Amino acid sequence: MPAHAQSLEDIKSRGKIRIGMLVDFLPYGLLDENNQPAGYEADVANLIAKKLGVKLEIVPVTGVFRIC
């Protein structure tokens, strides 16, 4: 899926934000023992979703594919 920006109103009305997160760059992004995104970027993504009042969908990516 190509990357594209949406307005905050679009995100809030949909009730979900999708955030691409590096999973191969410690300590910012990694996969935990349950193969779930963890680390600094996951923490920040969770804070953003909480502040917006929406659900979070983290899309795990590697550095090469972070911005397409």
Side-chain angles (χ1 to χ4, degrees):
M1 173 181 289
H4 62 281
Q6 296 180 327
S7 71
L8 288 177
E9 292 79 23
D10 291 339
I11 293 167
K12 287 180 179 182
S13 69
R14 190 180 49 225
K16 177 175 73 171
I17 186 168
R18 297 179 77 217
I19 298 179
M21 188 188 107
L22 289 173
V23 293
D24 62 349
F25 191 62
L26 299 173
Y28 303 103
L30 61 129
L31 295 175
D32 67 12
E33 60 277 354
N34 297 316
N35 213 29
Q36 296 299 309
Y40 175 77
E41 288 191 357
D43 294 342
V44 171
N46 278 298
L47 290 171
I48 291 169
K50 183 177 180 181
K51 181 72 173 176
L52 294 175
V54 298
K55 293 182 181 182
L56 172 63
E57 179 184 345
I58 292 178
V59 180
V61 297
T62 57
V64 174
F65 297 106
R66 186 165 192 187
I67 299 175
C68 299

